[in-house]
Amino acid sequence: MDAATKSESSSLHSSLRYKIIAMVGNENVHAATAADAIAGVQPKLVIEPGTGSELAEVLRVANEAGLAVIPRGGGTKLGWGNPPGRADLILSTARMTEIIEHAWADLTVSVEAGCTIQRLQETLAQHGQRLALDPLWPEKATVGGVLSTNDSGALRLRFGALRDLIIGATIALPDGTLASSGGKVVKNVAGYDLPKLVTGALGTLGVITRAVFRLHPLPRNTRSFSVFSAKAEESQRFVLAVQDSKLAHTFLQSHFSDEAPPVSDILFEGTEAGLAAQESQLRSLAAPANVMESSTPTWAAREELCNFVDPNTTAVAKVSLLPGDLARAMGEVEQAAKLHHLRWRALVYATGLGWVRLEGKPAALRGALQLLRVEMESHGGSLVALHRPEKMAEFDTWGSMGDALPLMKALKQRLDPKNTLNPGRFVGGI
């Protein structure tokens, strides 16, 4: 280990450091830098195992030593969640990038957790297939990171969320066990549903080392359209009418902001004849609203909303609401922004999941987020603050989890009794 690594990790016992080096190699153990900090908490080492077995062994040693471990994939969503209570090691899957098996005839793929979504999609496309998923920043986001954060976009309306796409997984538990569940076929009901359990758990129960997904064919043709409304109530009526119709749409989302009237995007996939029929039905259903064919990839809208110039004046929250409450919820966002003198934008899917971006002073951002959380939760929804400025006063990322929290804490205690993985980052300080 070089001098810099020794200096940065001096609080770790030397025998432990050398034990880790013996497992993964000196070149795969690095001193953590300021760029590796998680919400201002500075770890000491970054470790990059090459296999699931190596990762499990490093995790076992760290767990026995009482160290806090932060799993990391591409790092695109490392800021999500509460700041960790402590952070000693970053356990990176950067070297675990293999696409293990693409069983194209069975429409399944087995892939290591460090593989990026973009690379996976490019490989699947060679056989005319895809993972029907549209996460943020696919060129950097990894399979493990996307699963841990349960990140999916507008395509979930047609294909379901990640829990509907994952059919198998291998997880490294803090005691060093490599636990596998699920299988390589779409219909598999045997055993404990570990893949769904760790999806969205933010790496607090185990570290995903491998995943198996069900796949879908690539569409022959696609066409997307934008439908313009004068106000949020019109957008809501359009969305509900489409959902209640026989249109075979792949996604449906609506944009709102303080700058322009609402716009809804809809995507169709299929044959040219089928797309022409869908367009005709859409125009009839949307009348008298203006309908225009989109020339840009409308599924990039969420990424545009989550990219910002100044992180010190921007907050981004994920919200959930009933589709029938869309206009009311957007009115609440507009009122909260006006009250606190903020700029705002929002993107809401037809499923009722959405994203709200607020811009202004940190104190005003906190006030608006708090107000919106109360309003959302009072109507059966939620607000999760995924990004907020470092200078903003403390604000819980997650909000209320209701009666689910005791069960979640019991699962954490069962699988990670020493609180080794991502301590304090998840719901209720898990």
Side-chain angles (χ1 to χ4, degrees), residues 42 63 94 111 129 164 226 229 295 316 363:
Q42 181 64 52
N63 182 64
V111 58
Q129 296 177 356
D164 301 299
S226 294
S229 305
S295 57
V316 176

Short mmCIF file of all heavy atoms in Angstrom, two decimals, residues 42 63 94 111 129 164 226 229 295 316 363:
data_model
loop_
_atom_site.label_atom_id
_atom_site.label_comp_id
_atom_site.label_asym_id
_atom_site.label_seq_id
_atom_site.Cartn_x
_atom_site.Cartn_y
_atom_site.Cartn_z
N GLN A 42 -16.70 11.51 5.22
CA GLN A 42 -15.52 11.07 4.50
C GLN A 42 -15.11 9.65 4.87
O GLN A 42 -14.76 9.37 6.02
CB GLN A 42 -14.35 12.02 4.81
CG GLN A 42 -13.05 11.68 4.09
CD GLN A 42 -13.17 11.82 2.59
OE1 GLN A 42 -13.61 12.84 2.08
NE2 GLN A 42 -12.77 10.78 1.86
N ASN A 63 -17.27 -6.36 8.56
CA ASN A 63 -18.35 -6.54 9.53
C ASN A 63 -17.82 -7.02 10.87
O ASN A 63 -18.21 -6.52 11.93
CB ASN A 63 -19.36 -7.55 8.96
CG ASN A 63 -20.55 -7.78 9.86
OD1 ASN A 63 -21.34 -6.88 10.11
ND2 ASN A 63 -20.69 -9.01 10.35
N ALA A 94 -16.96 -1.63 -9.36
CA ALA A 94 -16.44 -1.12 -10.63
C ALA A 94 -15.79 -2.19 -11.50
O ALA A 94 -15.76 -2.07 -12.73
CB ALA A 94 -15.44 0.01 -10.37
N VAL A 111 -26.39 -10.85 -15.11
CA VAL A 111 -25.37 -9.82 -15.26
C VAL A 111 -24.80 -9.43 -13.89
O VAL A 111 -25.51 -9.46 -12.88
CB VAL A 111 -25.97 -8.57 -15.97
CG1 VAL A 111 -27.17 -8.03 -15.20
CG2 VAL A 111 -24.94 -7.50 -16.20
N GLN A 129 -33.37 -7.34 -28.32
CA GLN A 129 -34.03 -7.36 -27.01
C GLN A 129 -33.58 -6.18 -26.16
O GLN A 129 -32.63 -5.46 -26.49
CB GLN A 129 -33.75 -8.68 -26.30
CG GLN A 129 -34.34 -9.88 -27.03
CD GLN A 129 -33.99 -11.20 -26.37
OE1 GLN A 129 -33.25 -11.27 -25.40
NE2 GLN A 129 -34.55 -12.29 -26.92
N ASP A 164 -40.83 -5.99 -10.95
CA ASP A 164 -41.52 -6.82 -11.95
C ASP A 164 -40.55 -7.37 -12.99
O ASP A 164 -40.89 -8.33 -13.70
CB ASP A 164 -42.59 -6.00 -12.66
CG ASP A 164 -43.62 -5.44 -11.71
OD1 ASP A 164 -44.29 -6.24 -11.04
OD2 ASP A 164 -43.73 -4.21 -11.61
N SER A 226 -46.88 15.11 -28.17
CA SER A 226 -47.07 16.04 -27.05
C SER A 226 -48.45 16.66 -27.17
O SER A 226 -48.85 17.10 -28.26
CB SER A 226 -45.99 17.13 -27.06
OG SER A 226 -44.71 16.56 -26.81
N SER A 229 -51.98 21.65 -22.93
CA SER A 229 -53.16 22.03 -22.15
C SER A 229 -53.00 23.45 -21.65
O SER A 229 -51.88 23.98 -21.56
CB SER A 229 -53.34 21.08 -20.96
OG SER A 229 -53.39 19.73 -21.37
N SER A 295 -40.29 15.59 -31.70
CA SER A 295 -39.06 15.34 -32.46
C SER A 295 -37.88 15.03 -31.56
O SER A 295 -36.80 14.69 -32.02
CB SER A 295 -38.72 16.56 -33.33
OG SER A 295 -38.59 17.72 -32.52
N VAL A 316 -34.49 18.59 -5.33
CA VAL A 316 -35.26 17.69 -6.18
C VAL A 316 -35.91 16.64 -5.29
O VAL A 316 -35.25 16.01 -4.47
CB VAL A 316 -34.38 17.00 -7.24
CG1 VAL A 316 -35.21 15.99 -8.05
CG2 VAL A 316 -33.75 18.02 -8.17
N ALA A 363 -33.01 28.02 2.91
CA ALA A 363 -34.06 28.08 3.94
C ALA A 363 -35.44 28.02 3.31
O ALA A 363 -36.36 27.36 3.84
CB ALA A 363 -33.90 29.35 4.76
#
